[in-house]
Amino acid sequence: MPQVRFEIPALPSDTPPGELFLTGEHRDWSSDPAGWSFGRTAAGAVLEAELPEGELLSVKVRVRTPSGKILEEGDPWGGRSPAHQAVIREDMTVSLPLAGWQDRRAGQGRPSPSAPPREEFILPAPWGEQPVRLWWPEGATGNLPLLILHDGQKRGPQLCRGELGRGRRRPHSGARRPPGPRRRAAGK
């Protein structure tokens, strides 16, 4: 079996004292450090393990504090971070850069993934006023070729293609019309 060296290049400055260990799908995300503890180095930590070749790893670093509390690596704002992924191929080194630890901030203060809207207004509707927020690419001028509408629910957006702003909009569902003659409704 291949030898895998897991390296944490540098520990975050807020790393609590305790036992650093590796967990992941290969361990059913166990919080027991037995057999998977890192040895600390001057700046970071190292763990050597044997794993089957071809295994797809999804792993995270955790620490068990002297009080027994388990903390998992997180993002710089104390929120969750994605697992590190690797495919085991021969003897290899897997770098595990850590940004921080999950804490009571739970990601609050994280910058927004998008810019604020460039225009906002209230649209009157029979069921009540609806806020409308508009975003468009920086530097865009004139008519835009695509409009994406989203109702705020966790459903896919509706797309409209055409020359927007000139009153000609065509709803677009993403599906193509099957080939063949087009039929007209009676009386049209």
Side-chain angles (χ1 to χ4, degrees):
M1 278 205 274
Q3 279 291 118
V4 182
R5 179 181 172 92
F6 294 95
E7 287 184 357
I8 300 171
L11 291 170
S13 60
D14 62 345
T15 299
E19 186 176 7
L20 290 166
F21 65 97
L22 188 73
T23 191
E25 288 180 352
H26 68 293
R27 301 188 56 222
D28 292 326
W29 298 100
S30 172
S31 288
D32 179 8
W36 293 94
S37 295
F38 285 87
R40 293 197 187 218
T41 62
V46 174
L47 166 66
E48 304 241 355
E50 283 188 355
L51 291 163
E53 186 156 358
E55 183 163 348
L56 172 62
L57 285 182
S58 184
V59 298
K60 283 193 162 192
V61 176
R62 291 183 180 163
V63 62
R64 182 167 59 181
T65 66
S67 68
K69 184 176 181 180
I70 303 290
L71 297 176
E72 186 171 277
E73 67 175 286
D75 66 18
W77 304 276
R80 290 183 59 87
S81 64
H84 304 275
Q85 307 253 324
V87 177
I88 303 304
R89 304 219 188 278
E90 307 174 336
D91 292 350
M92 64 187 288
T93 299
V94 176
S95 181
L96 304 172
L98 304 183
W101 300 96
Q102 291 182 38
D103 60 28
R104 69 180 69 143
R105 294 176 297 158
Q108 293 175 354
R110 180 184 293 126
S112 173
S114 66
R118 291 176 59 186
E119 191 175 329
E120 293 186 64
F121 59 91
I122 301 294
L123 182 66
W127 54 87
E129 294 181 339
Q130 300 295 301
V132 176
R133 295 175 190 90
L134 302 174
W135 288 266
W136 60 88
E138 288 294 328
T141 58
N143 294 327
L144 299 175
L146 177 67
L147 173 66
I148 300 174
L149 304 172
H150 196 281
D151 63 2
Q153 304 297 315
K154 292 184 181 180
R155 298 181 189 147
Q158 297 293 316
L159 303 179
C160 292
R161 294 186 190 266
E163 293 185 33
L164 304 177
R166 294 191 183 172
R168 297 187 322 224
R169 289 185 270 166
R170 294 175 294 162
H172 178 70
S173 67
R176 295 198 180 269
R177 183 182 306 245
R182 293 186 183 184
R183 295 184 184 177
R184 290 183 165 218
K188 291 196 178 184

